[in-house]
């Protein structure tokens, strides 16, 4: 009999923005509309300049990068009300509720440590039922002398929890946060919120693609028990539109014909879902409903410049169906996006994903969605 894993950590300290909450979209939308006032255009490629920073540092970076004719303090006073209006629209990161509920149900102490002011933190989490009560401690950037990357906020959190820093697991999305957690002497899991940044997080003890990929048992914490035959049930989500010509590599290079949708039309919904391999049901109006496996992301092997969605309908079609309306009901998750040493290993993995999806969709848990109303009704124009 295998020896049980020794308990590596006894509590979890979580960052908020970008880790538990998908704040990046709201920040981009607010800055995009605000900068128009000064004839400037928000450039998402500069997002790394503000992710994980204190509010003052992030504001100073925007003022400097866009050469705004105002002081940092004036910028803060102008932008704060705009953000306050939008916090009610904030969404939890996929896997956030699952993680909080799991740790709470197993009695694992949790703390929230964010560079945001305490009042902001409490406002944001007030929109999520049960979150505030789940945390033994909430500590904001305005309650310490120095924000992240200083370790002070994490050291203070451990002190208030009356635990040794080495028994804490930190979960962070930004470089300043990871730096702070390691400097505090804690174990750190990085969940980078910005794409194609994983290579920068070398100081983290582990890098995962999303909270869906967290394996608590690696840290001596209770394992999730919701994986079923290599799949994770998720809250279903839906997407649809005309099938477009993709990169031409699905059939030609991989021998796997994918039915691509325009990523440009769905960039907002794609930004809410981590890259990775998912599965569900697909409907073509004149043909029927089929099992489907799909990838979302940048496809590291081909190094896409944009986040794409590439569904593979698990059926042999005799002809192309470009222009036909495709509707997808995504009901489960298989794995994170990964790179592969060779084309053969990539193809083999895609076929393995297909088999997992094929089998899982026979389970009542997933098969019921074949009758989902979304797959039955016609798409309105420009949906």
């Amino acid at each position: 009999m295998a020896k049980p894993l020794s308990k590596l950590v006894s509590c979890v300290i979580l960052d908020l923005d970008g880790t538990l909450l998908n704040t990046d979209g709201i920040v981009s939308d607010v800055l995009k509309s605000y900068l128009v006032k000064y004839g400037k255009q928000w450039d998402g490629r500069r997002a790394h300049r503000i992710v994980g920073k204190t509010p003052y540092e992030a504001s100073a970076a925007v003022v400097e990068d866009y050469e705004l004719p105002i002081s940092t303090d004036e910028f803060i006073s102008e932008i704060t009300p705009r953000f306050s209006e939008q916090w009610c629209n904030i969404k939890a990161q996929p896997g956030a509720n699952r993680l909080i509920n799991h740790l709470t149900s197993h009695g694992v102490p949790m703390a929230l440590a964010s560079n945001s002011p305490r009042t902001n933190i409490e406002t944001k989490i007030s929109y999520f039922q049960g979150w505030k009560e789940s945390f033994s401690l909430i500590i904001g950037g305005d309650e310490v002398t120095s924000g992240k990357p200083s370790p002070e906020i994490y050291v203070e959190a451990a002190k208030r929890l009356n635990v040794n820093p080495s028994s804490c697991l930190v979960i962070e999305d930004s470089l300043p946060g990871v730096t702070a957690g390691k400097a505090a002497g804690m174990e750190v899991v990085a969940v980078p919120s910005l794409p194609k940044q994983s290579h920068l997080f070398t100081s983290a003890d582990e890098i995962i693609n999303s909270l869906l990929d967290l394996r608590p048992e690696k840290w001596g914490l209770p394992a999730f028990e919701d994986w079923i035959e290599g799949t994770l049930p998720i809250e279903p989500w839906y997407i649809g539109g005309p099938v477009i010509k993709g990169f031409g590599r699905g059939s030609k290079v991989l021998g796997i014909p994918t039915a691509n949708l325009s990523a440009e039309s769905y960039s907002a919904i794609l930004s809410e879902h981590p890259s990775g391999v998912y599965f569900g049901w697909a409907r073509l109006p004149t043909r029927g409903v089929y099992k489907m496996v799909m990838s979302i992301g940048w496809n590291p092997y081909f190094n896409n410049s944009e986040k794409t969605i590439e569904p593979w309908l698990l059926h042999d079609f005799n002809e192309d169906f470009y222009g036909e309306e495709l509707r997808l009901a995504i009901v489960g998750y298989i794995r994170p996006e990964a790179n592969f040493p060779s084309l053969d290993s990539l193809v083999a993995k895609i076929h393995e994903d297909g088999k997992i999806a094929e089998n899982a969709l026979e389970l009542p848990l997933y098969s019921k969605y074949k009758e989902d109303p979304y797959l039955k009704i016609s798409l309105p124009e420009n949906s």
Side-chain angles (χ1 to χ4, degrees):
M1 189 174 165
K3 283 175 68 177
L5 181 66
S6 59
K7 199 167 179 75
L8 297 176
V9 301
S10 58
C11 72
V12 177
I13 307 179
L14 294 143
D15 172 54
L16 183 63
D17 299 318
T19 301
L20 291 177
L21 296 180
N22 184 0
T23 42
D24 294 349
I26 284 177
V27 169
S28 293
D29 289 346
V30 168
L31 289 175
K32 203 178 285 181
S33 63
Y34 174 81
L35 289 170
V36 168
K37 171 181 171 182
Y38 294 101
K40 308 284 184 176
Q41 190 172 358
W42 165 247
D43 182 353
R45 290 170 299 181
R46 293 186 186 178
H48 68 277
R49 293 263 292 145
I50 61 175
V51 169
K53 302 288 176 68
T54 64
Y56 191 88
E57 288 168 341
S59 299
V62 173
V63 170
E64 181 185 335
D65 288 353
Y66 293 90
E67 299 175 344
L68 301 182
I70 54 174
S71 69
T72 299
D73 288 325
E74 287 171 324
F75 172 83
I76 290 171
S77 66
E78 288 183 9
I79 206 79
T80 299
R82 294 182 181 230
F83 279 127
S84 299
E85 287 168 11
Q86 293 300 318
W87 293 141
C88 59
N89 298 319
I90 210 163
K91 291 185 178 177
Q93 293 281 33
N97 277 308
R98 171 182 176 245
L99 175 61
I100 290 171
N101 292 338
H102 175 73
L103 296 176
T104 301
S105 67
H106 285 89
V108 178
M110 280 184 292
L112 200 51
S114 168
N115 267 345
S116 294
R118 173 69 177 262
T119 51
N120 279 17
I121 296 170
E122 298 205 344
T123 300
K124 290 171 191 172
I125 66 173
S126 69
Y127 299 106
F128 300 90
Q129 191 174 353
W131 278 29
K132 185 175 181 181
E133 298 75 29
S134 297
F135 294 104
S136 306
L137 169 71
I138 296 172
I139 182 167
D142 57 342
E143 298 178 76
V144 292
T145 310
S146 303
K148 307 168 191 177
S150 162
E152 185 185 351
I153 197 166
Y154 283 121
V155 171
E156 182 63 23
K159 187 175 160 188
R160 292 194 200 176
L161 289 169
N162 197 26
V163 294
N164 194 303
S166 63
S167 66
C168 299
L169 177 67
V170 166
I171 303 177
E172 270 281 0
D173 74 298
S174 72
L175 281 172
V178 169
T179 302
K182 289 311 299 174
M186 299 178 177
E187 301 295 310
V188 179
V189 172
V191 195
S193 56
L194 294 179
K196 300 188 175 187
Q197 298 285 308
S198 295
H199 63 285
L200 301 175
F201 287 77
T202 49
S203 65
D205 297 288
E206 185 184 19
I207 304 168
I208 57 175
N209 185 60
S210 77
L211 293 176
L212 299 178
D213 304 307
L214 183 69
R215 302 285 182 164
E217 65 273 21
K218 284 187 176 183
W219 309 98
L221 297 170
F224 286 113
E225 295 173 352
D226 48 0
W227 284 86
I228 300 164
E229 295 187 15
T231 68
L232 177 65
I234 59 173
E235 188 70 33
W237 56 282
Y238 307 92
I239 194 168
V243 177
I244 62 166
K245 289 205 173 190
F247 297 97
R249 64 186 178 220
S251 300
K252 293 174 190 166
V253 180
L254 302 174
I256 297 164
T258 53
N260 297 282
L261 294 174
S262 166
E264 191 177 332
S265 305
Y266 306 104
S267 58
I269 192 166
L270 289 184
S271 72
E272 293 173 14
H273 297 281
S275 58
V277 176
Y278 298 80
F279 65 95
W281 296 98
R283 173 191 181 259
L284 289 164
T286 60
R287 301 167 192 263
V289 178
Y290 304 94
K291 293 177 178 178
M292 172 279 298
V293 65
M294 71 180 205
S295 70
I296 294 179
W298 288 266
N299 199 323
Y301 185 83
F302 294 103
N303 196 24
N304 294 353
S305 58
E306 299 293 332
K307 195 173 188 180
T308 60
I309 176 169
E310 300 182 43
W312 175 28
L313 277 56
L314 301 172
H315 179 82
D316 291 326
F317 294 94
N318 296 323
E319 64 210 351
D320 291 330
F321 39 86
Y322 294 125
E324 288 192 38
E325 177 193 289
L326 176 66
R327 285 203 150 198
L328 304 175
I330 298 98
V331 300
Y333 174 76
I334 296 176
R335 63 175 177 85
E337 194 173 44
N339 204 346
F340 293 88
S342 68
L343 195 59
D344 286 347
S345 57
L346 169 60
V347 171
K349 192 64 175 177
I350 295 173
H351 280 285
E352 184 185 317
D353 296 333
K355 286 193 180 74
I356 290 171
E358 184 96 44
N359 294 332
L361 287 164
E362 291 294 324
L363 300 170
L365 173 70
Y366 298 125
S367 63
K368 65 183 179 184
Y369 290 107
K370 188 176 183 180
E371 305 302 320
D372 195 290
Y374 179 82
L375 299 175
K376 304 292 183 189
I377 55 177
S378 296
L379 269 174
E381 291 292 316
N382 301 318
S383 69

